[in-house]
Amino acid sequence: MIELIPAIDIIDGKCVRLTKGDYASRKEYGDPVSMACQFEAMGYRRLHVVDLDGARSRHIVNESTLRAITSATSLKVDFGGGVRTEDDLLRAYDAGASLVTIGSVAVTSPELYVEWLGKYGADRLILGADVRNGMVSINGWKEDSDVHLSDFLSRYMEAGTRNVLCTEISRDGMLQGTAVDLYRQVMQAHPGCYLIASGGVSCIQDIATLDEAGIPAVVFGKAIYEGRVDMKELAGRFLPSDGKGGAAC
């Protein structure tokens, strides 16, 4: 069954959502810690946290908010945004992140990413593959690289990567459905990949379609905050029957 991973994107310590990564489209949705507690209370076990300030600044910015979330909940948190150095990586782990997403570094400093993969292990890293027109984007989606997604994934799957977060940028925040065909292609090419689909979820059926396609996990955010997905209904349908929610903060 597909793993459900609610998303919390952070700017200035607040929960926000963007559209196609455009910072000018920022819309606020309240306190990230409170939101994380609500997800845990409904039975969710994992959380995707993105430091959007960090992605833009090229170093971690909202470390204190990450620490507050991991201190207040028992959620397994994967964190991304602004991780450019080993110091950034260690700060994220120290603040409670179970996994850290590495995107731009894997494009601009391949040797460094492979070094981290060997040093910290495939179970603690996620390869961030943010895609626009088939090419991998970097630096908070502000720049398109000359690296094609298929080459990018092949290189790092061979190096030992297991977890991949693939975001189809044109779908992100649009609430118009996911790039399920793209994700099917990735799984066909790399059946051992733990693929986390991201971008475009607009309703529960979108998640069901990904599940039927055999996609291991999905990150979704705007559909939650815009009331397009009933989180309790979704939990009842896809979360393990023995899952127990935590107490609200």
Side-chain angles (χ1 to χ4, degrees), residues 119-193:
K119 189 172 183 178
Y120 297 102
D123 289 338
R124 299 203 72 193
L125 293 174
I126 300 173
L127 179 65
D130 301 324
V131 185
R132 181 162 38 215
N133 299 321
M135 311 303 286
V136 178
S137 292
I138 61 175
N139 296 327
W141 303 351
K142 298 302 180 185
E143 302 174 37
D144 291 335
S145 74
D146 59 358
V147 180
H148 194 277
L149 175 64
S150 61
D151 297 330
F152 186 68
L153 294 181
S154 293
R155 174 175 190 169
Y156 289 123
M157 292 299 292
E158 290 176 4
T161 291
R162 178 172 179 264
N163 303 300
V164 175
L165 173 66
C166 186
T167 302
E168 170 46 75
I169 295 171
S170 68
R171 304 272 183 148
D172 186 74
M174 297 301 291
L175 299 173
Q176 294 178 354
T178 70
V180 64
D181 291 339
L182 171 65
Y183 304 135
R184 283 197 188 99
Q185 292 171 13
V186 171
M187 291 303 299
Q188 288 170 359
H190 307 286
C193 170

Coordinates of all heavy atoms in Angstrom, one line a residue, residues 119-193:
K119 N 28.9 7.4 3.5 CA 29.2 7.7 4.9 C 28.0 7.6 5.8 O 28.0 7.1 6.9 CB 29.7 9.2 5.0 CG 30.3 9.6 6.3 CD 31.0 10.9 6.2 CE 31.6 11.3 7.6 NZ 32.3 12.6 7.5
Y120 N 26.8 8.1 5.3 CA 25.6 8.1 6.1 C 24.6 7.0 5.8 O 23.7 6.7 6.5 CB 24.9 9.5 6.0 CG 25.9 10.5 6.5 CD1 26.6 11.4 5.7 CD2 26.1 10.7 7.9 CE1 27.5 12.3 6.2 CE2 26.9 11.7 8.4 CZ 27.6 12.5 7.5 OH 28.5 13.4 8.0
G121 N 24.7 6.4 4.6 CA 23.9 5.3 4.2 C 22.6 5.7 3.4 O 22.1 6.8 3.5
A122 N 22.2 4.8 2.5 CA 21.1 5.0 1.6 C 19.8 5.2 2.3 O 18.9 5.8 1.8 CB 21.0 3.8 0.6
D123 N 19.7 4.7 3.6 CA 18.5 4.8 4.3 C 18.3 6.1 5.0 O 17.2 6.4 5.5 CB 18.4 3.7 5.4 CG 18.2 2.3 4.8 OD1 17.7 2.2 3.6 OD2 18.5 1.3 5.4
R124 N 19.3 7.0 5.0 CA 19.2 8.3 5.6 C 19.2 9.4 4.6 O 19.2 10.6 5.0 CB 20.3 8.4 6.6 CG 20.3 7.4 7.7 CD 21.0 7.9 9.0 NE 20.3 9.0 9.6 CZ 20.8 9.8 10.6 NH1 22.1 9.6 11.0 NH2 20.0 10.7 11.2
L125 N 19.3 9.1 3.3 CA 19.3 10.1 2.3 C 18.3 9.9 1.3 O 17.9 8.7 1.0 CB 20.7 10.1 1.6 CG 21.9 10.6 2.4 CD1 23.2 10.4 1.6 CD2 21.8 12.0 2.8
I126 N 17.7 11.0 0.7 CA 16.8 10.9 -0.4 C 17.4 11.7 -1.5 O 17.8 12.9 -1.3 CB 15.4 11.5 0.0 CG1 14.8 10.7 1.2 CG2 14.5 11.5 -1.2 CD1 13.5 11.4 1.7
L127 N 17.4 11.1 -2.7 CA 17.8 11.9 -3.9 C 16.7 12.7 -4.4 O 15.6 12.2 -4.7 CB 18.3 10.9 -5.0 CG 18.8 11.5 -6.3 CD1 20.0 12.3 -6.1 CD2 19.0 10.4 -7.3
G128 N 16.9 14.0 -4.4 CA 15.8 14.9 -4.9 C 15.9 15.1 -6.4 O 16.9 15.6 -6.9
A129 N 14.9 14.7 -7.1 CA 14.9 14.8 -8.5 C 13.7 15.7 -8.9 O 12.6 15.2 -9.1 CB 14.8 13.4 -9.2
D130 N 14.0 17.0 -8.9 CA 13.0 18.0 -9.3 C 13.0 18.2 -10.8 O 14.1 18.6 -11.3 CB 13.2 19.3 -8.6 CG 13.1 19.1 -7.0 OD1 12.3 18.3 -6.6 OD2 13.9 19.8 -6.3
V131 N 12.0 18.0 -11.5 CA 12.0 17.9 -13.0 C 11.1 18.9 -13.7 O 10.0 19.1 -13.3 CB 11.6 16.5 -13.4 CG1 11.8 16.3 -14.9 CG2 12.4 15.4 -12.7
R132 N 11.7 19.5 -14.7 CA 11.0 20.4 -15.6 C 11.4 20.1 -17.0 O 12.6 20.2 -17.3 CB 11.3 21.9 -15.2 CG 10.5 22.9 -16.0 CD 10.4 24.3 -15.4 NE 11.7 24.6 -14.7 CZ 11.7 25.4 -13.6 NH1 10.6 25.8 -13.0 NH2 12.9 25.7 -13.1
N133 N 10.4 19.8 -17.8 CA 10.7 19.4 -19.2 C 11.8 18.3 -19.4 O 12.6 18.4 -20.3 CB 11.1 20.7 -20.0 CG 10.0 21.7 -20.1 OD1 8.9 21.4 -20.2 ND2 10.5 23.0 -19.9
G134 N 11.7 17.4 -18.4 CA 12.6 16.2 -18.5 C 14.0 16.5 -17.9 O 14.8 15.5 -17.8
M135 N 14.3 17.7 -17.5 CA 15.6 18.1 -17.0 C 15.5 18.4 -15.5 O 14.5 18.9 -15.0 CB 16.2 19.3 -17.7 CG 16.1 19.2 -19.3 SD 17.0 17.7 -19.9 CE 18.7 18.2 -19.7
V136 N 16.6 18.1 -14.8 CA 16.6 18.3 -13.3 C 16.9 19.7 -13.0 O 17.8 20.4 -13.6 CB 17.7 17.4 -12.7 CG1 17.8 17.7 -11.2 CG2 17.5 15.9 -13.0
S137 N 16.1 20.3 -12.1 CA 16.2 21.7 -11.7 C 16.9 21.8 -10.4 O 16.8 20.8 -9.5 CB 14.8 22.4 -11.6 OG 14.3 22.5 -12.9
I138 N 17.5 22.9 -10.1 CA 18.3 23.0 -8.8 C 18.0 24.4 -8.2 O 17.4 25.3 -8.8 CB 19.8 22.8 -9.1 CG1 20.4 23.9 -10.1 CG2 20.1 21.4 -9.6 CD1 21.9 23.8 -10.3
N139 N 18.6 24.6 -7.0 CA 18.5 25.9 -6.3 C 17.1 26.4 -6.2 O 16.8 27.5 -6.6 CB 19.4 26.9 -7.0 CG 20.9 26.5 -6.9 OD1 21.3 25.9 -6.0 ND2 21.6 26.8 -8.0
G140 N 16.3 25.6 -5.5 CA 14.9 26.0 -5.3 C 14.1 26.2 -6.6 O 13.2 27.0 -6.6
W141 N 14.4 25.4 -7.6 CA 13.8 25.4 -8.9 C 14.0 26.6 -9.7 O 13.3 26.9 -10.6 CB 12.3 25.1 -8.7 CG 11.9 23.9 -8.0 CD1 12.7 22.8 -7.7 CD2 10.6 23.5 -7.6 NE1 12.0 21.8 -7.0 CE2 10.7 22.2 -7.0 CE3 9.3 24.1 -7.7 CZ2 9.6 21.5 -6.4 CZ3 8.2 23.4 -7.1 CH2 8.4 22.1 -6.5
K142 N 15.0 27.4 -9.3 CA 15.3 28.6 -10.0 C 16.2 28.4 -11.2 O 16.2 29.3 -12.1 CB 16.0 29.6 -9.0 CG 15.2 30.0 -7.8 CD 13.9 30.6 -8.2 CE 13.0 31.1 -7.0 NZ 11.7 31.5 -7.4
E143 N 16.9 27.3 -11.3 CA 17.8 27.0 -12.4 C 17.5 25.6 -12.9 O 17.3 24.7 -12.2 CB 19.2 27.1 -11.9 CG 19.6 28.4 -11.3 CD 21.0 28.4 -10.8 OE1 21.9 27.7 -11.4 OE2 21.3 29.0 -9.7
D144 N 17.5 25.5 -14.3 CA 17.4 24.2 -14.9 C 18.8 23.8 -15.3 O 19.6 24.5 -15.9 CB 16.5 24.3 -16.2 CG 15.1 24.5 -15.8 OD1 14.7 24.2 -14.7 OD2 14.3 25.1 -16.7
S145 N 19.2 22.5 -14.9 CA 20.5 22.0 -15.2 C 20.4 21.4 -16.6 O 19.4 21.4 -17.3 CB 20.9 21.0 -14.2 OG 20.2 19.7 -14.4
D146 N 21.6 20.9 -17.1 CA 21.6 20.2 -18.4 C 21.6 18.7 -18.2 O 22.0 17.9 -19.0 CB 22.9 20.6 -19.2 CG 24.2 20.3 -18.4 OD1 24.1 19.8 -17.3 OD2 25.3 20.6 -19.0
V147 N 21.2 18.3 -17.0 CA 21.1 16.8 -16.6 C 19.7 16.3 -16.8 O 18.7 16.8 -16.3 CB 21.6 16.6 -15.2 CG1 21.5 15.1 -14.8 CG2 22.9 17.2 -14.9
H148 N 19.6 15.2 -17.7 CA 18.3 14.6 -17.9 C 18.0 13.7 -16.8 O 18.8 13.0 -16.2 CB 18.3 13.9 -19.2 CG 17.0 13.5 -19.7 ND1 16.3 12.4 -19.3 CD2 16.2 14.1 -20.6 CE1 15.1 12.3 -19.9 NE2 15.0 13.3 -20.7
L149 N 16.7 13.6 -16.5 CA 16.2 12.8 -15.3 C 16.7 11.4 -15.4 O 17.2 10.8 -14.5 CB 14.7 12.8 -15.2 CG 14.1 11.9 -14.2 CD1 14.5 12.4 -12.8 CD2 12.5 11.9 -14.3
S150 N 16.6 10.7 -16.6 CA 16.9 9.3 -16.7 C 18.4 9.1 -16.5 O 18.8 8.1 -15.8 CB 16.5 8.8 -18.1 OG 17.3 9.5 -19.1
D151 N 19.3 10.0 -16.9 CA 20.7 9.9 -16.7 C 21.0 10.1 -15.2 O 21.8 9.4 -14.6 CB 21.5 10.9 -17.5 CG 21.3 10.6 -19.0 OD1 21.1 9.5 -19.4 OD2 21.4 11.6 -19.8
F152 N 20.3 11.0 -14.6 CA 20.5 11.4 -13.2 C 20.2 10.2 -12.3 O 21.0 9.8 -11.4 CB 19.6 12.6 -12.9 CG 19.7 13.2 -11.5 CD1 20.8 13.9 -11.1 CD2 18.6 13.1 -10.6 CE1 20.9 14.4 -9.9 CE2 18.7 13.7 -9.4 CZ 19.9 14.4 -9.0
L153 N 19.0 9.6 -12.6 CA 18.6 8.5 -11.7 C 19.5 7.2 -12.0 O 19.8 6.6 -11.0 CB 17.1 8.1 -12.1 CG 16.1 9.2 -11.7 CD1 14.7 8.7 -12.0 CD2 16.2 9.5 -10.2
S154 N 19.8 7.0 -13.2 CA 20.7 5.8 -13.5 C 22.0 5.9 -12.8 O 22.5 4.9 -12.2 CB 20.9 5.7 -15.0 OG 19.7 5.4 -15.7
R155 N 22.6 7.1 -12.8 CA 23.9 7.3 -12.2 C 23.9 7.0 -10.7 O 24.7 6.2 -10.2 CB 24.4 8.7 -12.4 CG 25.7 9.0 -11.7 CD 26.1 10.4 -12.0 NE 27.5 10.6 -11.5 CZ 28.3 11.7 -11.8 NH1 27.8 12.6 -12.6 NH2 29.5 11.8 -11.2
Y156 N 22.8 7.5 -10.0 CA 22.8 7.4 -8.6 C 22.2 6.1 -8.1 O 22.5 5.7 -7.0 CB 22.2 8.6 -8.0 CG 23.1 9.8 -8.1 CD1 22.7 11.0 -8.8 CD2 24.4 9.8 -7.6 CE1 23.5 12.1 -8.9 CE2 25.3 10.9 -7.8 CZ 24.8 12.0 -8.4 OH 25.6 13.1 -8.6
M157 N 21.3 5.5 -8.9 CA 20.8 4.2 -8.5 C 22.0 3.2 -8.5 O 22.1 2.3 -7.7 CB 19.7 3.7 -9.4 CG 18.4 4.5 -9.2 SD 17.7 4.4 -7.6 CE 17.2 2.7 -7.5
E158 N 22.8 3.3 -9.5 CA 24.0 2.4 -9.6 C 25.0 2.7 -8.5 O 25.7 1.8 -8.0 CB 24.7 2.7 -10.9 CG 24.0 2.2 -12.2 CD 24.6 2.5 -13.5 OE1 25.8 3.1 -13.4 OE2 24.0 2.2 -14.5
A159 N 25.0 3.9 -7.9 CA 25.9 4.2 -6.8 C 25.3 3.8 -5.5 O 26.0 3.9 -4.5 CB 26.1 5.8 -6.8
G160 N 24.1 3.3 -5.5 CA 23.5 2.8 -4.2 C 22.3 3.5 -3.7 O 21.8 3.2 -2.6
T161 N 21.9 4.6 -4.4 CA 20.7 5.3 -3.9 C 19.5 4.4 -3.9 O 19.3 3.6 -4.8 CB 20.4 6.5 -4.8 OG1 21.5 7.5 -4.6 CG2 19.1 7.1 -4.5
R162 N 18.7 4.6 -2.9 CA 17.4 3.8 -2.8 C 16.2 4.7 -2.8 O 15.2 4.4 -3.5 CB 17.4 2.9 -1.5 CG 16.1 2.1 -1.4 CD 16.1 1.2 -0.2 NE 14.9 0.5 -0.1 CZ 13.9 0.8 0.8 NH1 14.0 1.9 1.5 NH2 12.8 0.1 0.8
N163 N 16.2 5.8 -2.1 CA 15.1 6.7 -2.0 C 15.2 7.8 -3.0 O 16.2 8.5 -3.0 CB 15.0 7.3 -0.5 CG 14.9 6.2 0.5 OD1 14.0 5.4 0.6 ND2 15.9 6.2 1.4
V164 N 14.1 8.0 -3.7 CA 14.1 9.1 -4.7 C 12.8 9.9 -4.5 O 11.7 9.3 -4.6 CB 14.2 8.6 -6.1 CG1 14.0 9.7 -7.2 CG2 15.5 7.9 -6.4
L165 N 12.9 11.2 -4.4 CA 11.8 12.1 -4.4 C 11.7 12.8 -5.7 O 12.6 13.6 -6.0 CB 11.9 13.1 -3.2 CG 10.8 14.3 -3.2 CD1 9.5 13.7 -2.9 CD2 11.2 15.3 -2.2
C166 N 10.7 12.5 -6.5 CA 10.6 13.1 -7.8 C 9.4 14.0 -7.9 O 8.2 13.6 -7.7 CB 10.4 12.0 -8.9 SG 10.4 12.6 -10.6
T167 N 9.7 15.3 -8.1 CA 8.7 16.3 -8.2 C 8.6 16.8 -9.7 O 9.6 17.3 -10.2 CB 9.0 17.5 -7.3 OG1 9.1 17.1 -6.0 CG2 7.9 18.6 -7.4
E168 N 7.4 16.7 -10.2 CA 7.1 17.3 -11.6 C 6.7 18.7 -11.3 O 5.6 19.0 -10.9 CB 6.1 16.5 -12.3 CG 5.5 17.1 -13.6 CD 6.6 17.6 -14.5 OE1 7.2 16.8 -15.2 OE2 6.7 18.8 -14.6
I169 N 7.6 19.7 -11.6 CA 7.5 21.0 -11.2 C 6.2 21.7 -11.8 O 5.5 22.5 -11.2 CB 8.7 21.9 -11.6 CG1 9.9 21.4 -10.7 CG2 8.5 23.3 -11.3 CD1 11.2 21.9 -11.1
S170 N 5.9 21.3 -13.1 CA 4.8 21.9 -13.7 C 3.5 21.5 -13.1 O 2.4 22.2 -13.3 CB 4.7 21.5 -15.2 OG 4.5 20.1 -15.3
R171 N 3.5 20.5 -12.3 CA 2.3 20.0 -11.6 C 2.2 20.6 -10.2 O 1.1 20.6 -9.6 CB 2.3 18.5 -11.5 CG 2.4 17.8 -12.8 CD 1.1 17.5 -13.5 NE 1.2 16.8 -14.7 CZ 0.3 15.9 -15.2 NH1 -0.8 15.7 -14.5 NH2 0.5 15.3 -16.3
D172 N 3.3 21.0 -9.6 CA 3.3 21.3 -8.2 C 2.4 22.5 -7.9 O 2.5 23.6 -8.5 CB 4.8 21.7 -7.8 CG 4.9 22.0 -6.3 OD1 4.9 21.0 -5.6 OD2 5.0 23.1 -5.9
G173 N 1.5 22.2 -6.9 CA 0.6 23.3 -6.4 C -0.6 23.6 -7.4 O -1.4 24.5 -7.1
M174 N -0.7 22.9 -8.5 CA -1.7 23.2 -9.5 C -3.0 22.4 -9.2 O -4.0 22.8 -9.8 CB -1.2 22.8 -10.9 CG 0.1 23.6 -11.3 SD -0.3 25.4 -11.4 CE -1.4 25.4 -12.7
L175 N -3.0 21.4 -8.4 CA -4.2 20.6 -8.1 C -4.9 20.1 -9.3 O -6.1 20.1 -9.4 CB -5.2 21.5 -7.3 CG -4.7 22.1 -5.9 CD1 -5.7 23.1 -5.3 CD2 -4.4 20.9 -4.9
Q176 N -4.1 19.6 -10.3 CA -4.6 19.1 -11.5 C -4.2 17.7 -11.8 O -4.2 17.3 -13.0 CB -4.2 20.1 -12.7 CG -4.8 21.5 -12.6 CD -4.3 22.4 -13.7 OE1 -3.4 22.1 -14.5 NE2 -4.9 23.6 -13.7
G177 N -3.8 17.0 -10.8 CA -3.4 15.6 -11.0 C -1.9 15.4 -11.1 O -1.2 16.3 -11.4
T178 N -1.5 14.2 -10.8 CA -0.1 13.9 -10.8 C 0.5 13.4 -12.1 O -0.3 13.0 -13.0 CB 0.2 12.8 -9.7 OG1 -0.3 11.5 -10.2 CG2 -0.4 13.1 -8.4
A179 N 1.8 13.4 -12.2 CA 2.5 12.9 -13.4 C 2.7 11.4 -13.3 O 3.8 10.9 -13.4 CB 3.8 13.6 -13.6
V180 N 1.6 10.7 -13.3 CA 1.6 9.2 -13.0 C 2.4 8.5 -14.1 O 3.1 7.5 -13.8 CB 0.2 8.6 -12.8 CG1 -0.6 8.8 -14.0 CG2 0.3 7.2 -12.3
D181 N 2.3 8.9 -15.3 CA 3.0 8.2 -16.4 C 4.5 8.3 -16.2 O 5.3 7.4 -16.5 CB 2.6 8.8 -17.8 CG 1.2 8.5 -18.2 OD1 0.6 7.5 -17.6 OD2 0.6 9.2 -19.0
L182 N 5.0 9.5 -15.8 CA 6.4 9.7 -15.5 C 6.8 8.8 -14.4 O 7.9 8.1 -14.5 CB 6.7 11.1 -15.1 CG 8.1 11.5 -14.6 CD1 9.1 11.3 -15.7 CD2 8.1 12.9 -14.0
Y183 N 6.0 8.7 -13.3 CA 6.4 7.8 -12.2 C 6.4 6.3 -12.6 O 7.3 5.6 -12.1 CB 5.5 8.1 -11.0 CG 5.4 9.5 -10.6 CD1 4.2 10.2 -10.3 CD2 6.6 10.3 -10.5 CE1 4.2 11.5 -10.0 CE2 6.6 11.6 -10.1 CZ 5.4 12.2 -9.9 OH 5.4 13.5 -9.5
R184 N 5.5 5.9 -13.5 CA 5.5 4.6 -14.0 C 6.8 4.3 -14.7 O 7.4 3.2 -14.6 CB 4.3 4.3 -14.9 CG 3.0 4.1 -14.2 CD 2.0 3.5 -15.2 NE 0.6 3.5 -14.6 CZ -0.3 4.4 -14.9 NH1 -0.1 5.4 -15.8 NH2 -1.5 4.3 -14.4
Q185 N 7.2 5.2 -15.5 CA 8.5 5.1 -16.3 C 9.7 4.9 -15.4 O 10.5 4.1 -15.6 CB 8.7 6.3 -17.2 CG 7.7 6.4 -18.4 CD 7.8 7.7 -19.1 OE1 8.7 8.4 -19.0 NE2 6.8 8.0 -19.9
V186 N 9.7 5.7 -14.3 CA 10.8 5.6 -13.4 C 10.8 4.2 -12.7 O 11.9 3.6 -12.6 CB 10.7 6.7 -12.3 CG1 11.7 6.5 -11.2 CG2 10.9 8.1 -12.9
M187 N 9.7 3.7 -12.3 CA 9.6 2.4 -11.6 C 9.9 1.3 -12.6 O 10.5 0.3 -12.2 CB 8.2 2.2 -11.0 CG 7.9 3.1 -9.9 SD 9.1 3.0 -8.5 CE 8.9 1.3 -8.0
Q188 N 9.6 1.4 -13.8 CA 9.9 0.4 -14.8 C 11.4 0.3 -15.1 O 12.0 -0.7 -15.2 CB 9.2 0.7 -16.1 CG 7.7 0.4 -16.1 CD 6.9 0.9 -17.3 OE1 7.5 1.5 -18.2 NE2 5.6 0.7 -17.3
A189 N 12.0 1.5 -15.1 CA 13.5 1.6 -15.3 C 14.3 1.2 -14.1 O 15.4 0.7 -14.2 CB 13.9 3.0 -15.8
H190 N 13.7 1.5 -12.9 CA 14.4 1.2 -11.6 C 13.4 0.6 -10.6 O 13.0 1.2 -9.6 CB 14.9 2.6 -11.1 CG 15.7 3.3 -12.0 ND1 17.0 3.0 -12.4 CD2 15.4 4.5 -12.8 CE1 17.5 3.9 -13.2 NE2 16.6 4.7 -13.5
P191 N 13.1 -0.7 -10.8 CA 12.2 -1.4 -9.9 C 12.6 -1.4 -8.5 O 11.7 -1.6 -7.6 CB 12.0 -2.8 -10.6 CG 13.3 -2.9 -11.4 CD 13.6 -1.6 -11.9
G192 N 13.8 -1.3 -8.2 CA 14.3 -1.3 -6.8 C 14.2 0.0 -6.1 O 14.5 0.2 -4.9
C193 N 13.8 1.1 -6.8 CA 13.7 2.4 -6.3 C 12.5 2.6 -5.3 O 11.4 2.2 -5.7 CB 13.6 3.4 -7.4 SG 13.3 5.1 -7.0

